[in-house]
C-alpha cells in the first residue's frame, strides 16, 4: 500500500523513534522521507533528488541499487537464508572469511563475524581480555582509547568512546577506558599536525608506562576519528603506536569500521600506515550498505591463545543470532567481487585528487578555519568567530535545499561520498557544499 506524505509524517511522529534525535526538533523540522536510491542519489517521496554526500552513514560504498549485490542477496535467500554458526558451517561464511583474511594485512587470518560495528568492537575487546586470560595474565583487563574516540553505542563500545553525549548518560554503567590525547590538531599545516601528533604520542607513552601491567589493548580509529568531526591525523602516530604496543607486549585494536575497505585511499587505513594490528574491526562498507554485517579479524597469534593445550576447553564467549548469516555473507562476497572488478581503491585516485583540490579552495572561503582530506574523505571546519557549529548546521540545511545531503559534525562539514561517485556527481557535491558555506555567511 502506498501512503501519501502527510499520513507517513503522522505515523512517523506517532510511532517511529529516530536515533540521535531530539523529538521536539524533529517534529518542528521539515519532514523528509526517502523512498528510493540510485547510484549517488537519494529520492524523496515528492521526487526531490538529493546527492548522498555521506554514503548513508558511511556504508553505501558502491552507491545505491548496485545490481550484482542485489542479485547475490536474492540468490542466497533462495538457497539458505540462515544457518547457525555454532556447530555448523556454510559456504558463504567460509568463503568470506577466506577472502577477508587474504585482503587484511599481515597475519590477520582469523575472521569472527557479527552484525554491526558496535558488536564487532565488543567482540574485539572481549577477545583481547580472554586472550590475556589464556596467556596467564588475567589482570590485563583495561583499554586505552583516544579522547573523542567513537567505537559504537553498546555499553562495551561506549566504555572505549570519549564523546560526551554518547557516554555521559551511561557513565555509571561502564568501566571507562583510559583516555589518551588525540593525535589530531585543528590545522591544515602538515608540519603543525606532525608536531601535535608527536606530542600526543609522548603523552600516550607515559600513560602506557604507568598502566603497563593492567593493559589488555589500545584501541584506535586509524587515521580518522570520524564521529569526533572527521579528525584526520598523521600515519606516523600509528607507526609509533604499533612499536609502542610491541615494546610493552600490548595488543593493538584497529577499529576500521569507518575507514576500512577503500575509504582512505588504501584498502585499509592500517595499510596506508604500513602497520598490522593484532585485531581489526570491519563493518559498514562490508556489504556495501545492503545488510548488517561486521567482522573482527584477529592474528593467528591471538587466535592460538584460544586453542586448548591441556584438555580444558577454551571458548570465546560471544555469538549473535545473525553472526555470519548466509545472506549477509553473500552480500559481502558480492561486494568484494565488485571492489575487484571496479579496482577500488586504486580507481578512486582521480576523484581523491579532486576532493583534495576543491577542499583546498573551500578552505579559502571566509569563515573556514581549516580543511583536511584523506582518500575519499574531505572535511572543512568552520571557525567559531563566524558561527561555528550553528553555522555548520545552517550550511547543511542550505546544502539540502541545493540538492546535497550531508550532516555536520560540530563545526565540521564534510563529504564521504559513495566510492563509485562519478566525477560529475562529485563536482556537483562540491559546488553545492561550497555554495552552502558561502550562503551560510550571508
Ligand atoms: C569507528 C566506528 N566504530 C564503530 C562504529 C559503530 O558501528 P555501528 O553503528 O554499525 O554499530 C562506528 C559507526 O559509525 C564507527 O564509525
Amino acid at each position: 500500500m502506498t501512503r501519501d506524505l502527510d499520513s507517513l509524517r503522522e505515523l512517523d511522529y506517532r510511532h517511529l523513534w529516530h536515533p540521535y534525535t531530539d523529538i521536539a526538533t524533529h517534529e518542528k523540522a521539515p519532514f523528509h522521507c526517502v523512498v528510493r536510491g540510485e547510484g549517488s542519489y537519494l529520492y524523496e517521496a515528492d521526487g526531490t533528488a538529493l546527492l548522498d554526500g555521506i554514503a548513508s552513514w558511511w556504508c553505501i560504498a558502491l552507491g545505491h541499487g548496485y545490481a550484482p549485490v542485489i542479485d547475490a542477496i536474492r540468490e542466497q535467500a533462495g538457497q539458505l537464508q540462515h544457518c547457525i554458526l555454532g556447530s555448523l558451517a556454510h559456504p558463504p561464511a567460509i568463503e568470506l572469511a577466506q577472502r577477508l583474511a587474504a585482503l587484511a594485512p599481515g597475519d590477520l587470518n582469523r575472521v569472527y563475524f557479527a552484525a554491526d560495528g558496535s558488536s564487532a568492537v565488543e567482540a574485539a575487546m572481549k577477545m583481547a581480555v580472554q586472550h590475556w586470560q589464556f596467556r596467564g595474565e588475567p589482570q590485563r583487563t583495561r583499554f586505552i582509547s583516544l579522547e573523542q574516540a567513537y567505537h559504537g553505542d553498546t555499553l562495551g563500545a561506549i566504555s572505549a568512546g570519549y564523546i560526551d553525549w554518547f557516554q555521559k548518560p551511561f557513565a555509571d554503567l561502564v568501566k571507562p577506558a583510559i583516555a589518551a590525547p588525540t593525535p589530531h590538531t585543528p590545522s591544515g599545516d602538515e608540519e603543525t599536525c606532525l608536531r601535535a601528533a608527536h606530542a600526543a604520542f609522548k603523552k600516550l607513552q607515559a600513560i602506557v608506562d604507568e598502566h603497563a601491567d593492567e593493559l589488555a589493548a589500545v584501541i584506535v580509529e586509524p587515521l580518522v576519528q570520524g564521529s569526533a568531526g572527521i579528525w584526520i591525523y598523521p600515519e606516523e602516530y600509528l607507526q609509533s603506536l604499533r612499536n609502542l604496543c610491541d615494546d610493552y607486549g600490548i595488543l593493538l585494536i584497529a577499529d576500521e569500521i569507518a575507514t576500512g575497505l577503500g575509504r582512505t585511499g588504501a584498502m585499509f587505513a592500517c595499510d596506508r600506515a604500513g602497520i598490522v594490528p593484532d585485531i581489526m574491526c570491519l563493518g559498514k562498507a562490508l556489504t556495501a550498505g545492503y545488510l548488517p554485517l561486521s567482522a573482527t579479524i584477529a592474528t593467528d597469534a591471538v587466535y592460538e591463545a584460544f586453542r586448548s593445550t591441556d584438555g580444558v576447553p577454551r571458548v570465546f564467549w560471544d555469538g549473535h543470532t545473525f553472526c555470519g548469516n548466509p545472506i549477509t555473507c553473500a552480500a559481502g562476497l558480492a561486494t568484494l567481487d565488485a571492489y575487484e572488478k571496479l579496482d577500488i581503491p586504486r580507481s578512486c585516485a582521480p576523484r581523491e585528487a579532486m576532493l583534495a583540490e576543491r577542499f583546498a579552495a573551500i578552505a579559502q572561503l571566509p569563515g573556514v578555519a581549516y580543511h583536511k582530506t584523506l582518500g575519499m574523505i574531505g572535511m572543512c571546519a568552520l571557525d567559531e568567530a563566524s558561527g561555528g557549529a550553528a553555522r555548520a548546521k545552517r550550511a547543511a540545511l542550505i546544502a539540502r535545499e541545493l540538492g546535497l545531503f550531508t550532516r555536520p559534525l560540530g563545526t565540521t562539514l564534510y563529504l564521504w561520498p559513495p566510492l563509485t561517485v562519478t566525477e560529475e556527481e562529485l563536482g556537483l557535491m562540491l559546488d553545492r557544499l561550497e555554495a552552502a558555506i558561502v550562503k551560510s555567511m550571508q
Side-chain angles (χ1 to χ4, degrees):
M1 189 174 78
T2 51
R3 294 177 184 273
D4 65 37
L5 198 55
D6 285 339
S7 77
L8 280 170
R9 181 196 293 118
E10 199 190 316
L11 289 175
D12 178 289
Y13 292 174
R14 208 182 303 157
H15 297 295
L16 184 59
W17 196 327
H18 291 260
Y20 310 130
T21 300
D22 173 64
I23 298 167
T25 311
H26 173 59
E27 290 178 355
K28 265 188 259 143
F31 181 67
H32 292 277
C33 188
V34 171
V35 293
R36 191 168 70 83
E38 194 180 322
S40 299
Y41 283 92
L42 296 166
Y43 293 91
E44 296 191 46
D46 65 0
T48 304
L50 280 176
L51 279 163
D52 187 352
I54 58 167
S56 289
W57 255 338
W58 310 347
C59 58
I60 306 295
L62 303 172
H64 297 272
Y66 190 78
V69 180
I70 298 169
D71 291 344
I73 290 170
R74 215 177 262 133
E75 194 177 320
Q76 184 58 46
Q79 178 88 19
L80 173 70
Q81 98 276 19
H82 195 282
C83 168
I84 183 172
L85 271 191
S87 312
L88 297 177
H90 58 77
I94 296 168
E95 284 166 28
L96 185 59
Q98 181 264 319
R99 293 275 294 273
L100 289 174
L103 210 55
D107 61 345
L108 286 163
N109 286 326
R110 309 295 181 151
V111 181
Y112 180 82
F113 290 116
D116 53 59
S118 306
S119 303
V121 168
E122 297 273 334
M125 294 173 80
K126 289 163 79 175
M127 232 175 234
V129 166
Q130 273 201 282
H131 156 275
W132 286 118
Q133 287 168 6
F134 294 139
R135 291 254 183 253
E137 296 196 62
Q139 82 289 355
R140 290 190 178 274
T141 57
R142 302 216 58 191
F143 293 85
I144 290 179
S145 62
L146 298 177
E147 279 168 359
Q148 298 303 310
Y150 178 75
H151 295 290
D153 282 351
T154 50
L155 290 176
I158 63 169
S159 77
Y162 275 94
I163 298 179
D164 254 11
W165 54 86
F166 291 112
Q167 200 190 50
K168 227 182 202 160
F170 316 105
D172 287 347
L173 302 182
V174 300
K175 183 175 176 186
I178 302 157
T182 173
H184 160 86
T185 196
S187 164
D189 173 58
E190 206 173 310
E191 199 49 48
T192 310
C193 292
L194 267 176
R195 241 182 292 118
H198 187 67
F201 178 71
K202 286 274 166 218
K203 290 189 182 144
L204 170 72
Q205 252 177 334
I207 294 168
V208 167
D209 196 57
E210 187 188 338
H211 296 277
D213 295 337
E214 55 174 342
L215 287 175
V218 178
I219 176 167
V220 292
E221 295 157 86
L223 298 187
V224 190
Q225 290 188 257
S227 300
I230 317 293
W231 286 4
I232 296 168
Y233 63 86
E235 293 164 15
E236 286 79 354
Y237 180 87
L238 280 187
Q239 292 151 1
S240 303
L241 173 60
R242 177 66 274 183
N243 292 336
L244 183 68
C245 288
D246 286 344
D247 290 347
Y248 282 83
I250 299 161
L251 299 181
L252 174 59
I253 301 173
D255 175 354
E256 292 244 19
I257 286 156
T259 52
L261 297 163
R263 181 53 59 180
T264 64
M267 194 52 88
F268 303 105
C270 288
D271 289 339
R272 274 197 83 111
I275 64 152
V276 182
D278 300 286
I279 301 175
M280 185 165 93
C281 303
L282 298 179
K284 293 198 184 278
L286 189 48
T287 63
Y290 278 90
L291 292 169
L293 177 68
S294 60
T296 305
I297 312 179
T299 58
D300 291 323
V302 169
Y303 185 78
E304 284 307 315
F306 287 74
R307 190 188 302 282
S308 173
T309 50
D310 56 7
V312 180
R314 295 185 175 186
V315 174
F316 179 41
W317 286 112
D318 195 81
H320 297 268
T321 307
F322 285 95
C323 64
N325 169 272
I327 306 175
T328 62
C329 287
L333 284 165
T335 300
L336 296 188
D337 286 345
Y339 270 63
E340 270 181 29
K341 182 166 166 241
L342 303 174
D343 197 16
I344 296 173
R346 211 186 337 241
S347 60
C348 298
R351 287 159 296 140
E352 290 170 9
M354 196 170 159
L355 270 174
E357 191 181 315
R358 291 288 305 273
F359 266 94
I362 286 173
Q364 304 307 313
L365 295 173
V368 178
Y370 69 96
H371 85 287
K372 292 188 192 198
T373 57
L374 178 71
M376 288 292 279
I377 308 169
M379 66 78 66
C380 65
L382 304 188
D383 63 27
E384 294 295 347
S386 71
R391 192 177 143 221
K393 259 190 198 157
R394 210 161 57 239
L397 288 177
I398 297 169
R400 187 147 70 189
E401 279 161 26
L402 297 173
L404 167 68
F405 181 69
T406 181
R407 267 165 71 93
L409 289 163
T411 61
T412 296
L413 287 165
Y414 71 100
L415 290 178
W416 188 298
L419 299 177
T420 50
V421 68
T422 64
E423 284 186 32
E424 194 189 343
E425 289 163 346
L426 187 58
L428 277 176
M429 286 184 187
L430 286 155
D431 290 347
R432 290 172 187 180
L433 184 71
E434 187 173 332
I437 292 171
V438 171
K439 276 194 172 180
S440 69
M441 276 296 269
Q442 292 159 2

